[in-house]
Amino acid sequence: MGEDPALSSTLRSDNFQDLWDRIFEGLIFKMRFDEPLFWILDSADEADPQSLLITNLTKIHALTPIRIFLTSRPIRIPSAPGSLITSCFLTESKTIGDIRLFIQNAIQNALPHDEKLQEEIINQMLEKAEGSFLWVKLALETLQSNWHTQEDIRQSLTEIPTGMEDLYARMLHSVQHQPPRSRFMACRILTWAACSWRPLSIDELRIALEPDFKNFVNLRDTILQICGHFISLNGSKISLIHSTARDFLVSDRPEAPAFVDSQSGHEHLASVCLQHLSTDSWRQVFKAVDDNTGKQRTSLKANRLVLAEKNHPFLGYATCYWAYHISRSGVNSESLFETLNEFLTKHCLSWVEAIALSSNLLYLTRAVKYLKAYTRKRLRYLKCNTSDTLQSLEQPSEDESASFRIWANDLIRIIGKFGSNLVRKPSSIYKLVPPFCPKSSMVGLHYSLIQNKSINVSGLSANAWDDCLASVAVGGDGSASRILASNAYFLSLMSNPGTVVIWHAESFEEVRRLVHDEYVPIMALNKSGEILATAGIDTYRIWDVSSGKEVNRLPTIPYTFTMAIALANNGSELYLGLDDCSVVCIDLGSGLETQRVVLGDPYDPYLACPSAVAFNPDLTKIAMAWRGKTPLIWDINAERNQSPYRCSFSDSTESICAPEFLKWQGDGNSLLILCQDTVVVEWRPDYDEQTTFDHLKCRELTVSQDGNLLLTSDSVGTISLWTFPKLDLIYRLINDNAFIKDLTFSPDGQRFYDSRGSICNVWEPDVLLRPDERDTTDRSSVAESSIVSEPVVTHDESSRSAVTALACDRSDAYYCCGREDGTVIIHDSLSGKKIRKVYTHASTSSVIILSWSSSGKYIVSGDDSGRIISKRLETKEAGKWAVFPVFDLRLDESVQQFLFDSNEQLLLISTSTKDLVWGLKAKRELCRQSWGFRQNRRWIEHPRDSKLLLWIDPDTVRTFEWTALRNSNEPERRKNKSVRPSPPSTPKTPTTPITASCRAGPPASDDSSKRIVQWLDITPDRRYLVYETLPDTGHISSRSTTGLHLEILSTSDLHTECLHPHNFISECMADLEGKVKRLVGTYKDRIMFLDQDYWICTWRIETGLEDIRRHFFLPRDWLNPNTLQMAIVNNKGTFLCPKHGEVGVVRGGMRFGLEPVF
């Protein structure tokens, strides 16, 4: 199961509903077992939250019968007529027999021959027990030390109080009346037992007590002697005997304060955890673990931190739960403030490394939530106490406390941008992560300068984190009309070709495409996100998202158009909302229609074809809207001829008569109606109440699954986040040139997605990271917190004019970029500052290809309209440039490749069907060859003769003369494919025999060859030609890397008729291809490539795969397929990659040669 990304993410989640939806509804309830399942759930009242557990238990629909036995203190269990739930309330009279047997068995061995005394003890204990087994257990433990005489036993029985509260008070009295040191020791132990996140082991507790007590002789015996029976020892784990004991210890009583002050207790635990982690020695400990697991090829999913815990048992607890204790601590402790501040500024990175070793980054996410909760409470406290001048002078300022919020923001960005690679290489947190952090971030401020041997990242103007995790493109001319998200994936729908693109939610890579083969206006996921339904004009199709398999296909309902679609009962039923005002339910197992509901009279003019239809979340209601009329709502399962809910309106709600879009709230109790004038009306049909919101000005909207947040976009692309119930603004992402077609939240509400044209963006703003209410004492809601704080307003960096082509000079001093607005600009590569706008294409054209000659003297660019411009450059003093025209021409198709000759006298211009050579000094065209059909080659200058060109396609290498584009006297050379083993999953490309003689005509058209040479380069020592081929998609520049093949040819073989890849290279090429995402360039004697995990790697060709080295990885917000294909490396080893209209420049990365990856 762990191989399924969706399931893996769920198994690591601490969200009960996610686990229930995915594991129980998605798997267990769909399985058929030979016999009924029997579940026993004890202490259901201690579930958190108990109402969610009970609600889900009452809604089970499983293929196998399930019988549930549940015990609890009195709680409310909903019931309905015909319910199969049977409740039995146990009174004292019903438990007295079991308690009698329990006591009798306990005292028979101690008093085997005195039946009269046994009966006396039993009767007295039954009288005082009040039906509580726990009281009996504790009373028997008290008596065990008094089995000496009958008088002792009777005296003890008399002194044992009635009821749990009095018994706890007596136990606490025995603890408090010990010698001071024993009392303090017991208080510390009980504090850990009462406040810890989970039960500690004896070894963990021993380390936790070391700040106060060291060198225990036998800690287990000590606990039993001094803790007054409050502690239960289960194997090596310690815990309180019952949750009521915890309540007693941490609660104030009329006669005395709480024995364990909760806030002070958590403050102590937090300080101990932080002090334990605040040492430089952990880095060496983790290095030893990382080295050991690396040699053993330990699975990255394994918890490698447990290896360190063998010698440091408290490490795991301190790593995972210090922030929980911080959130529960008091906010007026300055010592805790200083401890936390020192930990974050000096030892934070080693803590992140520890979490990465555990392979569970949810601990880091959870810590961020707790840290933010603590910061909010502390800022509120400081604000309330600023009037006390003396106190405000003694305490840190609000700005100092607010730095913790910035730390929280840094940490969540580290997860979002580096998470998966941190798990792969935890030690990279020290040198590979800080350089990519903005300079004004806390990590950038405190750690980037310390690691002076780390890489250097420049060229990006942002001083703070942006909120965009990734931007992906659906490719070609496609446009994403709908977007959905599950825990593991997000899905983009291109309606016109009927294609769904599935992206991984963690790596943002394209997983697969689902082709419906017809126009598809809508799609829907089931509750667990594992089944997808797409509705076309002629068919409905059901897909398994993880595998991409089509699991069902059904014809559409004749003479109708599908307006809404939904999956129910774990994806086994399909609900359809049709334009004839009817609802149809189809069983997907049989393909039969199980329910059809006609909503009202079909001849009613009011019920003409609706403009919008929406099911509520539990598929019990459906809403429909018509232009010029108010919406109606029907109960789907009600009797025929039912009357719908009608929305009354007045002058203040007149907008509701022009509805455009309908969206149900998460609880299904209210409907959001987006009106034509951008007004939003919330309608509660059960009470016929409407609330009008005229300040949103939105054109698209969606609601988070928990119903707390509204996400909107306006007509120019500005995105806003609002909190219910008043719809207060908490976040705004300003854009002024985008048309957003759809929006959606991630299931946990901590991320949102938008689709605009061919681009889908992934956003993770800081304001969405909300604390878990059950885990923090900060009970303020999102809406409440927004009242006391201003909304966050930021600008969408993707609104900058995008870089669409990139080239760099050989001196590593400058780079030149072409943009989507047609400009060509030279930048300083150290600062990223613009030096000179060289020239401009038409503003309606995008520069798609750019080349800069090796001397920097000539530059040439081509746009998507076929226009080509070349200029001659001269550098002046103080970094100034002079620009002179060379030529400006237009072809009937766009350019695929420019190539300067080594003397910079000639320029090759290559399109898909023709090639021409331009004389740079003569400023005229010298020759042209039109091939008549699309070619799949690239060109490179002959490494041994500068007068010749090499034509390289997937199957052949041809030699041409530079000045005439004629075949030279050398024969065509056929690559011997038999030498190179193909990967098992990739069929060998069919080939057409080519003779060795010269051919005067154009190259032959090989329709069976469906590959194209995408990238070509020669190593600096000119010994090898390196290139990649990809399946030919018909696009000028493929963004997909699926099916990538690598080819390496020795230039020493160019004189032979048949080119053979190096024998040793051939043996490892198939394995190498599986690791390469895209070739980037060559550096010294190594090939540089981007691997599947987005590490920049190099490989020395003449060695085996053991010499592949990983150098650094790219943040996730750099993983845009559009920009990655433009990434380049210069001869100095500097890596350049566009990002949000700028160019990131990474220097020094080649200094890091991590261990081989194979």
Side-chain angles (χ1 to χ4, degrees):
M1 292 193 302
E3 296 302 318
D4 181 351
L7 186 57
S8 297
S9 64
T10 303
L11 291 174
R12 293 177 180 272
S13 173
D14 60 351
N15 184 283
F16 171 81
Q17 194 62 53
D18 287 346
L19 292 169
W20 182 270
D21 291 343
R22 182 69 183 175
I23 306 301
F24 290 93
E25 291 194 358
L27 292 176
I28 296 176
F29 297 160
K30 291 183 177 181
M31 302 169 67
R32 292 187 183 275
F33 297 93
D34 295 334
E35 297 178 352
L37 299 178
F38 292 88
W39 294 357
I40 299 176
L41 305 178
D42 187 27
S43 303
D45 56 294
E46 297 181 20
D48 188 9
Q50 61 177 244
S51 59
L52 194 57
L53 170 65
I54 300 302
T55 300
N56 281 285
L57 289 176
T58 58
K59 293 181 177 180
I60 290 177
H61 295 281
L63 296 179
T64 300
I66 299 177
R67 307 288 182 259
I68 302 174
F69 179 77
L70 182 148
T71 68
S72 169
R73 283 179 285 185
I75 58 174
R76 182 180 179 274
I77 298 180
S79 183
S83 172
L84 298 178
I85 299 175
T86 301
S87 298
C88 177
F89 292 92
L90 297 180
T91 61
E92 184 176 340
S93 62
K94 293 180 180 180
T95 60
I96 193 169
D98 293 331
I99 294 178
R100 172 180 285 276
L101 288 175
F102 178 69
I103 300 172
Q104 186 174 327
N105 290 333
I107 66 176
Q108 273 182 343
N109 294 332
L111 305 170
H113 305 298
D114 196 336
E115 294 183 1
K116 182 179 179 181
L117 181 58
Q118 289 181 22
E119 190 65 23
E120 182 180 349
I121 293 173
I122 291 172
N123 290 335
Q124 287 195 46
M125 295 188 74
L126 287 175
E127 183 179 347
K128 292 186 173 184
E130 297 180 346
S132 171
F133 275 91
L134 179 61
W135 185 95
V136 172
K137 176 179 178 295
L138 293 174
L140 287 171
E141 290 177 357
T142 302
L143 290 178
Q144 284 178 356
S145 58
N146 292 282
W147 292 131
H148 311 302
T149 67
Q150 294 185 11
E151 287 74 15
D152 292 335
I153 293 173
R154 292 187 176 93
Q155 180 66 27
S156 296
L157 281 172
T158 302
E159 293 176 353
I160 295 175
T162 301
M164 290 306 305
E165 187 76 14
D166 291 336
L167 180 58
Y168 284 150
R170 185 175 184 272
M171 292 161 56
L172 182 58
H173 182 270
S174 68
V175 172
Q176 292 177 316
H177 287 76
Q178 298 179 102
R181 182 170 173 81
S182 296
R183 183 173 64 247
F184 181 52
M185 187 182 299
C187 180
R188 283 289 191 240
I189 294 172
L190 290 174
T191 298
W192 277 101
C195 298
S196 62
W197 170 276
R198 58 162 175 79
L200 271 64
S201 68
I202 292 290
D203 289 337
E204 287 176 323
L205 181 62
R206 180 181 291 107
I207 303 300
L209 294 173
E210 278 190 353
D212 301 304
F213 308 99
K214 294 180 174 64
N215 303 319
F216 283 97
V217 176
N218 189 320
L219 181 55
R220 176 185 292 270
D221 289 346
T222 299
I223 292 171
L224 295 175
Q225 292 171 13
I226 68 174
C227 292
H229 302 291
F230 277 106
I231 298 294
S232 171
L233 288 168
N234 299 313
S236 64
K237 298 291 184 179
I238 70 160
S239 62
L240 292 175
I241 53 175
H242 196 262
S243 61
T244 56
R246 175 180 287 102
D247 295 339
F248 175 83
L249 290 172
V250 301
S251 300
D252 293 330
R253 299 183 303 283
E255 67 279 6
F259 181 70
V260 176
D261 180 76
S262 180
Q263 287 192 348
S264 299
H266 283 288
E267 178 186 331
H268 173 71
L269 269 60
S271 296
V272 171
C273 291
L274 290 174
Q275 290 167 8
H276 189 73
L277 296 172
S278 297
T279 172
D280 294 331
S281 62
W282 291 123
R283 189 167 177 178
Q284 293 303 317
V285 173
F286 299 152
K287 183 179 185 302
V289 171
D290 200 15
D291 292 344
N292 183 49
T293 54
K295 293 176 182 177
Q296 298 178 3
R297 301 300 185 195
T298 304
S299 169
L300 295 180
K301 298 178 182 178
N303 181 358
R304 292 162 284 171
L305 189 62
V306 297
L307 299 177
E309 291 181 68
K310 291 180 180 179
N311 296 322
H312 307 278
F314 189 61
L315 172 62
Y317 186 91
T319 297
C320 298
Y321 303 117
W322 66 263
Y324 164 72
H325 297 300
I326 284 282
S327 70
R328 298 276 183 142
S329 301
V331 293
N332 57 349
S333 171
E334 301 314 313
S335 63
L336 179 61
F337 175 91
E338 295 298 334
T339 301
L340 176 58
N341 189 59
E342 181 177 359
F343 165 74
L344 291 172
T345 55
K346 295 182 179 179
H347 307 285
C348 180
L349 297 191
S350 61
W351 167 66
V352 174
E353 183 182 12
I355 290 182
L357 283 169
S358 76
S359 299
N360 190 352
L361 297 181
L362 286 177
Y363 288 120
L364 188 52
T365 304
R366 190 184 298 155
V368 170
K369 296 178 183 179
Y370 295 142
L371 185 58
K372 296 183 90 171
Y374 169 77
T375 303
R376 272 198 305 272
K377 292 189 298 180
R378 183 169 175 85
L379 289 174
R380 207 175 292 138
Y381 164 78
L382 292 176
K383 188 174 183 179
C384 293
N385 287 273
T386 51
S387 57
D388 189 334
T389 305
L390 179 61
Q391 188 177 33
S392 64
L393 291 173
E394 293 174 349
Q395 293 178 339
S397 67
E398 289 188 34
D399 288 342
E400 290 176 309
S401 296
S403 68
F404 293 156
R405 180 180 294 164
I406 304 175
W407 273 111
N409 190 32
D410 275 21
L411 294 172
I412 201 62
R413 288 293 172 270
I414 286 175
I415 298 172
K417 298 179 187 296
F418 309 101
S420 57
N421 279 316
L422 270 177
V423 173
R424 291 184 180 92
K425 191 62 182 176
S427 62
S428 62
I429 185 64
Y430 299 106
K431 293 185 178 181
L432 301 187
V433 171
F436 286 98
C437 297
K439 293 180 175 60
S440 63
S441 68
M442 286 298 174
V443 174
L445 289 172
H446 292 281
Y447 292 102
S448 61
L449 297 179
I450 296 175
Q451 310 296 341
N452 54 12
K453 294 183 180 180
S454 62
I455 61 178
N456 176 269
V457 179
S458 61
L460 304 177
S461 60
N463 287 321
W465 297 104
D466 62 31
D467 295 326
C468 184
L469 282 186
S471 297
V472 296
V474 296
D477 298 325
S479 177
S481 57
R482 292 287 181 267
I483 189 165
L484 296 175
S486 66
N487 287 318
Y489 306 103
F490 61 99
L491 301 85
S492 305
L493 171 64
M494 292 187 287
S495 292
N496 197 17
T499 300
V500 179
V501 187
I502 302 177
W503 315 87
H504 199 288
E506 292 299 317
S507 66
F508 312 112
E509 297 175 84
E510 181 179 324
V511 179
R512 63 182 56 87
R513 296 190 175 217
L514 310 179
V515 181
H516 192 116
D517 275 335
E518 58 179 306
Y519 179 76
V520 177
I522 53 176
M523 62 178 179
L525 285 167
N526 72 334
K527 193 174 182 181
S528 61
E530 59 184 356
I531 303 295
L532 174 72
T534 54
I537 301 299
D538 298 319
T539 60
Y540 304 116
R541 301 192 188 185
I542 311 300
W543 313 82
D544 182 279
V545 175
S546 295
S547 67
K549 294 180 180 178
E550 181 182 324
V551 297
N552 214 327
R553 183 184 299 194
L554 301 167
T556 56
I557 307 300
Y559 310 112
T560 63
F561 184 78
T562 306
M563 303 288 294
I565 188 170
L567 288 158
N569 290 338
N570 308 324
S572 62
E573 292 180 332
L574 182 66
Y575 275 75
L576 308 170
L578 305 177
D579 65 345
D580 64 354
C581 298
S582 67
V583 175
V584 173
C585 177
I586 300 175
D587 180 82
L588 294 176
S590 63
L592 299 177
E593 183 179 309
T594 60
Q595 184 184 13
R596 179 184 286 266
V597 180
V598 178
L599 306 173
D601 184 355
Y603 298 103
D604 185 344
Y606 192 98
L607 302 181
C609 178
S611 60
V613 177
F615 289 105
N616 74 336
D618 61 4
L619 301 179
T620 58
K621 291 182 174 66
I622 186 170
M624 292 189 176
W626 297 261
R627 289 186 175 90
K629 302 179 178 68
T630 58
L632 301 179
I633 295 176
W634 283 268
D635 287 316
I636 295 175
N637 298 319
E639 298 179 357
R640 292 179 62 86
N641 301 321
Q642 61 168 307
S643 296
Y645 297 88
R646 295 182 180 271
C647 184
S648 60
F649 69 95
S650 60
D651 292 340
S652 61
T653 58
E654 187 175 356
S655 297
I656 206 170
C657 291
E660 290 280 320
F661 179 74
L662 305 175
K663 183 69 178 181
W664 286 90
Q665 256 285 18
D667 58 9
N669 293 327
S670 63
L671 178 71
L672 294 177
I673 305 165
L674 174 59
C675 304
Q676 192 173 20
D677 58 359
T678 73
V679 169
V680 173
V681 178
E682 184 177 14
W683 175 29
R684 288 169 287 279
D686 289 336
Y687 307 99
D688 193 20
E689 296 176 349
Q690 299 99 38
T691 304
T692 300
F693 302 98
D694 57 7
H695 63 290
L696 306 181
K697 309 299 180 186
C698 62
R699 300 307 312 173
E700 299 289 336
L701 63 81
T702 192
V703 182
S704 60
Q705 283 192 9
D706 60 12
N708 289 328
L709 296 170
L710 176 71
L711 179 67
T712 67
S713 66
D714 64 16
S715 57
V716 294
T718 293
I719 296 175
S720 302
L721 269 169
W722 317 82
T723 59
F724 285 99
K726 297 180 180 180
L727 293 188
D728 297 304
L729 180 68
I730 61 170
Y731 176 81
R732 175 159 286 165
L733 181 65
I734 297 176
N735 200 324
D736 57 8
N737 63 355
F739 177 70
I740 295 176
K741 299 201 70 174
D742 199 18
L743 299 162
T744 192
F745 279 100
S746 61
D748 62 6
Q750 295 186 10
R751 179 185 291 181
F752 65 82
Y753 305 82
D754 74 62
S755 62
R756 53 183 87 181
S758 63
I759 302 296
C760 297
N761 294 306
V762 186
W763 304 93
E764 197 171 71
D766 184 43
V767 296
L768 288 182
L769 193 71
R770 292 163 287 158
D772 294 334
E773 293 296 333
R774 64 185 181 89
D775 290 333
T776 65
T777 52
D778 182 16
R779 298 296 178 182
S780 60
S781 67
V782 178
E784 290 170 339
S785 64
S786 68
I787 294 174
V788 298
S789 60
E790 291 296 321
V792 176
V793 179
T794 185
H795 289 265
D796 182 357
E797 292 187 0
S798 65
S799 61
R800 296 193 191 105
S801 177
V803 174
T804 50
L806 181 64
C808 60
D809 74 334
R810 295 181 62 82
S811 67
D812 198 25
Y814 306 100
Y815 64 83
C816 185
C817 58
R819 297 181 176 273
E820 65 179 352
D821 62 3
T823 58
V824 176
I825 302 173
I826 294 176
H827 294 256
D828 180 276
S829 64
L830 288 175
S831 63
K833 292 181 179 179
K834 183 172 72 173
I835 302 296
R836 167 73 190 264
K837 180 191 288 188
V838 186
Y839 54 88
T840 303
H841 290 250
S843 61
T844 56
S845 298
S846 297
V847 177
I848 61 172
I849 185 168
L850 182 67
S851 185
W852 203 346
S853 66
S854 58
S855 68
K857 185 176 181 180
Y858 293 100
I859 195 165
V860 60
S861 61
D863 64 28
D864 52 10
S865 70
R867 185 183 180 188
I868 305 168
I869 301 176
S870 179
K871 301 286 185 179
R872 182 170 61 86
L873 307 176
E874 288 185 8
T875 56
K876 301 293 184 180
E877 71 284 351
K880 295 183 179 181
W881 295 72
V883 180
F884 305 94
V886 178
F887 64 81
D888 186 340
L889 61 91
R890 187 180 299 275
L891 301 178
D892 57 0
E893 58 183 331
S894 55
V895 177
Q896 291 185 347
Q897 183 185 6
F898 291 123
L899 179 65
F900 290 97
D901 76 326
S902 55
N903 297 318
E904 298 188 4
Q905 303 291 316
L906 306 172
L907 172 68
L908 174 72
I909 302 171
S910 179
T911 71
S912 63
T913 63
K914 65 175 66 75
D915 296 288
L916 58 127
V917 175
W918 194 274
L920 296 176
K921 286 195 173 181
K923 296 185 180 182
R924 63 183 179 86
E925 182 180 316
L926 301 181
C927 61
R928 177 185 298 233
Q929 284 282 8
S930 296
W931 310 115
F933 46 83
R934 178 180 173 84
Q935 299 297 320
N936 51 7
R937 81 305 188 201
R938 289 188 78 83
W939 296 88
I940 194 166
E941 188 173 80
H942 198 295
R944 300 181 182 277
D945 189 343
S946 61
K947 297 179 180 179
L948 299 178
L949 283 167
L950 292 179
W951 159 306
I952 298 181
D953 64 34
D955 296 314
T956 58
V957 177
R958 309 170 193 274
T959 307
F960 287 78
E961 296 175 1
W962 251 111
T963 55
L965 285 180
R966 292 195 304 262
N967 289 110
S968 71
N969 293 329
E970 295 187 19
E972 296 171 346
R973 293 165 179 82
R974 179 72 181 172
K975 292 186 293 177
N976 189 341
K977 290 290 186 180
S978 63
V979 177
R980 177 186 177 279
S982 295
S985 59
T986 305
K988 291 187 177 182
T989 304
T991 59
T992 301
I994 301 177
T995 62
S997 61
C998 297
R999 193 186 306 127
S1005 173
D1006 183 2
D1007 293 334
S1008 64
S1009 179
K1010 300 296 184 181
R1011 304 189 68 79
I1012 185 170
V1013 177
Q1014 178 70 22
W1015 183 94
L1016 169 66
D1017 201 358
I1018 189 169
T1019 55
D1021 59 10
R1022 307 184 73 78
R1023 294 179 59 191
Y1024 294 100
L1025 293 171
V1026 184
Y1027 57 99
E1028 67 181 21
T1029 68
L1030 290 166
D1032 188 359
T1033 63
H1035 300 304
I1036 292 175
S1037 184
S1038 173
R1039 297 181 180 93
S1040 173
T1041 58
T1042 304
L1044 179 145
H1045 284 181
L1046 299 181
E1047 299 285 355
I1048 301 175
L1049 299 177
S1050 173
T1051 57
S1052 63
D1053 291 336
L1054 289 175
H1055 66 281
T1056 63
E1057 290 192 12
C1058 191
L1059 299 180
H1060 299 270
H1062 191 285
N1063 288 337
F1064 184 76
I1065 297 171
S1066 301
E1067 295 172 1
C1068 62
M1069 191 64 71
D1071 292 332
L1072 180 63
E1073 283 177 350
K1075 305 296 181 182
V1076 175
K1077 187 74 175 175
R1078 188 177 294 279
L1079 293 177
V1080 176
T1082 57
Y1083 174 67
K1084 295 185 178 179
D1085 58 348
R1086 306 181 75 90
I1087 296 173
M1088 183 180 293
F1089 62 90
L1090 197 63
D1091 74 1
Q1092 298 292 342
D1093 299 323
Y1094 293 97
W1095 283 76
I1096 296 295
C1097 304
T1098 61
W1099 175 47
R1100 183 179 291 109
I1101 296 175
E1102 294 181 344
T1103 61
L1105 294 184
E1106 67 274 5
D1107 192 52
I1108 292 180
R1109 301 283 170 171
R1110 278 179 164 171
H1111 297 275
F1112 60 92
F1113 50 75
L1114 299 180
R1116 282 180 183 163
D1117 57 336
W1118 289 42
L1119 306 187
N1120 185 331
N1122 295 329
T1123 55
L1124 280 179
Q1125 67 176 351
M1126 292 183 278
I1128 55 176
V1129 61
N1130 65 19
N1131 62 321
K1132 307 292 185 182
T1134 300
F1135 175 81
L1136 298 93
C1137 182
K1139 177 182 181 292
H1140 293 326
E1142 299 178 313
V1143 176
V1145 182
V1146 183
R1147 288 185 173 81
M1150 296 302 102
R1151 290 200 302 260
F1152 295 91
L1154 304 181
E1155 75 280 352
V1157 296
F1158 302 126

